[in-house]
Amino acid sequence: MSGGEVAGILVAVFWAILVSFLAVALARLAQTLRTTTKLVADVTDQAVPLLADASAAVRSAQTQIDRVDAIASDVQEVTSNASALSTTVASTFGGPLVKVAAFGYGVRRALGGRKEDMSAPAGQARRTVIVGRTLPAARRTKRKKG
């Protein structure tokens, strides 16, 4: 055997080993592709019903949102009607009721002031209440009632 023949045999063996490795790699790649194809098909089979359920849920939620929107608009209308009614009642009865209350207060004050002046001792001054406070008698006497 010559050196060229040995080199040829070595190259042939190398190519045989290389082709064997490539065949094994291609076989495993083909198996991986088959498994991946099956997995994608299974996911697609499961995803389609899930998407249909999600679509139904979104439609149901939209229906509920429409109902809530209708309720909110009704509540807004009731609120505006109540406000208008309150304004109408206040303008209709407010003025006369204030006048009646003021008249009653004036009558009470006039009748009550005479009784207090008579029942108060001579040396003790009458106290005046203003907005929840009592003023000392010294500050009250500076003002003159007309």
Side-chain angles (χ1 to χ4, degrees):
M1 267 191 150
S2 72
E5 291 176 349
V6 172
I9 291 177
L10 285 177
V11 169
V13 169
F14 174 74
W15 278 107
I17 292 173
L18 181 65
V19 167
S20 298
F21 280 129
L22 287 175
V24 169
L26 285 175
R28 289 190 180 201
L29 181 62
Q31 181 183 4
T32 303
L33 286 175
R34 274 192 302 268
T35 306
T36 304
T37 304
K38 184 180 180 212
L39 180 66
V40 168
D42 290 344
V43 167
T44 302
D45 291 342
Q46 293 177 2
V48 169
L50 288 176
L51 289 175
D53 291 345
S55 177
V58 167
R59 272 190 270 138
S60 174
Q62 183 62 38
T63 303
Q64 296 301 324
I65 287 173
D66 291 341
R67 288 180 183 169
V68 169
D69 187 38
I71 290 170
S73 66
D74 290 344
V75 167
Q76 184 178 9
E77 184 179 342
V78 167
T79 302
S80 65
N81 289 343
S83 176
L85 179 65
S86 172
T87 303
T88 303
V89 168
S91 66
T92 303
F93 297 114
L97 284 178
V98 167
K99 289 177 184 176
V100 168
F103 178 74
Y105 176 75
V107 169
R108 262 187 286 131
R109 180 77 181 214
L111 294 177
R114 290 185 183 160
K115 289 180 184 175
E116 287 181 8
D117 288 341
M118 292 178 184
S119 64
Q124 187 178 9
R126 198 179 107 202
R127 294 186 171 217
T128 304
V129 177
I130 298 175
V131 191
R133 288 187 7 192
T134 303
L135 294 176
R139 286 183 59 194
R140 252 185 300 128
T141 56
K142 289 181 184 177
R143 288 189 296 165
K144 295 196 176 195
K145 295 184 181 179

